[in-house]
Amino acid sequence: MQEFTRQSILILADNLMILGQRLGEWCGHGPILEQDIALTNIALDLIGEARNYYQYLAETEGKHEDDYPMLRDAREFKNVLLTEQPNGHWGDTIARQFLFDCFHFHLLEHMVASSDQRISAIAKKSVKEAAYHLSFSGDWVIRLGDGTEDSHQKIQRSVNKFWPYWMEMFTPTEAEQHAIQEGILPDLNKVYEAASSKLESVLAEATLIKPEGQHSRKGGKEGFHSEHLGYILAEMQYLQKSYPGASW
Amino acid sequence: MTNTLSLEDRFQQRIDNEEKIEAKDWMPDGYRKTLIRQISQHAHSEIVGMLPEGNWITRAPSLKRKLALLAKVQDEAGHGLYLYSAAETLGAGRDELLHQLHTGKAKYSSIFNYPTLTWADIGAVGWLVDGAAIMNQVALCRASYGPYARAMVRICKEESFHQRQGYDILLTMMKGTDAQKKMVQDAVNRWWWPSLMMFGPSDIDSPNSAESMKWKIKRLSNDELRQRFVDMSVPQAEILGVTFPDPELKYNEVTGHYQFGVIDWEEFWRVVNGNGPCNEERLAARVQAHEEGAWVRDAALAYAEKQKQRNSSQVA
Ligand SMILES: [Fe+2]
Ligand SMILES: [Fe+2]
């Protein structure tokens, strides 16, 4: 496997892994039992999808699927900064999820046609789940935006808060650029167009304002993270690191 | 002659004939109250039970274990839902029941007031706690109240899966390093007695039992169920290679059962009455989730109301 392919796969996998890990923190603490279940469902999907990519890497590199999430350090993780942001309140989690789902669903929709058979197969398997995630988070953005005065303000603030992380998802790294040229990844401009139009229609229905003119924060895809990631990994990798080589 | 029977007699006759009682059927007040208390306690136990295991989701040691644990804790939430729905058929709404939980008026299973300290606890909880729950719940699948019995059938299928998963966690660790084996034995030491306590007070100290048995809400007594659990668990412990922390535990050739030592009832009542290791934390976590979710529930309600108005004005 070429290095740029490997890097591109790590971005895909780490996004899902870290966001799934974040959603897992909610389990048992949701505002409504049904929504607790729904959010856990999404966590299960995301980590399951991440596992597909890790397995692909593990098979080509003669490693174990757990080596990737459990044994790498922060600088080697390639997830976008958005996914590692703290859960905050329900509106924060929904806004973060909605921005990610807009990107992820449309990415997969295009990635089904990947020149890499395995990636294409994973995309085909994941795209239905991503469609459900997008409708879940989109519906909640609308419900909160068009709910009470208080919820409207809260979700608007949440969208504003995560807005600086929006563009990183669509801005290719060098490795991704290479992968796009080879047809392994779809054209991220196209993904951006589709994601933006979905985002705009949902925000409009939610009576929310699309934030503008903020500077964009990136770096995660190159391993340059916020301070949050170290804590996520400290928790996630605690057993593997405390008992090196043990099987669980 | 039958038409001279009172409503209550006829009700008892139906129970004795193994007919299921359904939501719309006449039932004595006591039957309804007992059911609501038991079903809601059970529902609360499912959702409070999410906490001790949920706290290991972020630390689960592998992708496989993390996914299994997420799914398990999610199942428990689902069990809570089934049971709240069953209670609703008796006229007890979820909001009201949650209020009772949050104000400390309603109880939940004391087992969840113990902490999960190591990863082996996740295995031990699955094996012993879900195992004890199954013992109770299998008997409840034949409870006389239809909606409750049907909820239990669904729940039991998932519980036995949880138990196997828990046992598998421990089996894997027992094949591992010395540190892992020690971790397993330590977890089993801590969870064994509280698991036995899950069956409730001894029959002689269980005042509600006789009536519940008559109404077939309960089919087997606390002590009978506890004995079954011990008989089931001892051979499983042997296969696993762990011991239970009870020097008096041994097979009785005459009775064909394992006899065991005296349960520390003082500890049992202490935890039931709110002074276990985690009572405060568990309740506080539930209350916090509920309070912090208030604005979300309000928003969902307000939005649903707006939608309703929009739809009706469209129709008009
Ligand atoms: Fe359960
Ligand atoms: Fe369970």
Side-chain angles (χ1 to χ4, degrees), chain A residues 28 34 146 235 247-248, chain B residues 58 65-66 94 180 286 310:
Chain A
E34 284 84 347
D146 195 18
E235 222 173 303
S247 322
W248 302 93
Chain B
T58 55
R65 297 295 183 202
K66 193 186 289 287
R94 207 203 296 182
Q180 285 176 299
R286 286 310 319 161
R310 281 174 199 143

Side-chain angles (χ1 to χ4, degrees), chain B residues 46 76 79 155 159:
Chain B
E46 299 285 352
E76 307 300 1
H79 298 170
I155 289 174
E159 294 296 3

Side-chain angles (χ1 to χ4, degrees), chain A residues 21 27-28 31-32 34 37 41 44 66 70 90 140 142-143 146-147 151 235-236 239-240 243 247-248, chain B residues 58-63 65-67 73-74 81 94 119 172 180 183 286 293 296-297 299 303 306 310:
Chain A
Q21 174 79 4
C27 189
I32 304 168
E34 284 84 347
I37 292 174
N41 246 334
L44 276 165
D66 288 327
M70 297 300 176
W90 181 253
W140 267 104
I142 293 167
R143 214 171 276 142
D146 195 18
S151 71
E235 222 173 303
M236 187 163 90
L239 274 167
Q240 291 280 358
Y243 301 91
S247 322
W248 302 93
Chain B
T58 55
R59 289 177 290 171
S62 68
L63 290 167
R65 297 295 183 202
K66 193 186 289 287
L67 289 166
V73 181
Q74 186 192 37
L81 270 189
R94 207 203 296 182
W119 175 248
T172 307
Q180 285 176 299
M183 213 187 273
R286 286 310 319 161
V296 179
R297 294 189 298 275
Y303 178 75
K306 283 186 199 175
R310 281 174 199 143

Side-chain angles (χ1 to χ4, degrees), chain B residues 258-277:
Chain B
Y258 286 91
Q259 56 189 60
F260 50 96
V262 181
I263 288 171
D264 181 352
W265 294 112
E266 223 169 278
E267 173 179 331
F268 173 82
W269 290 112
R270 190 168 64 237
V271 183
V272 168
N273 290 323
N275 298 310

Side-chain angles (χ1 to χ4, degrees), chain B residues 46 53 72 75-76 79 130 133 158-159 162-163:
Chain B
E46 299 285 352
E53 292 186 276
K72 187 203 175 198
D75 282 348
E76 307 300 1
H79 298 170
D130 287 82
E158 295 177 353
E159 294 296 3
H162 297 170
Q163 194 195 20

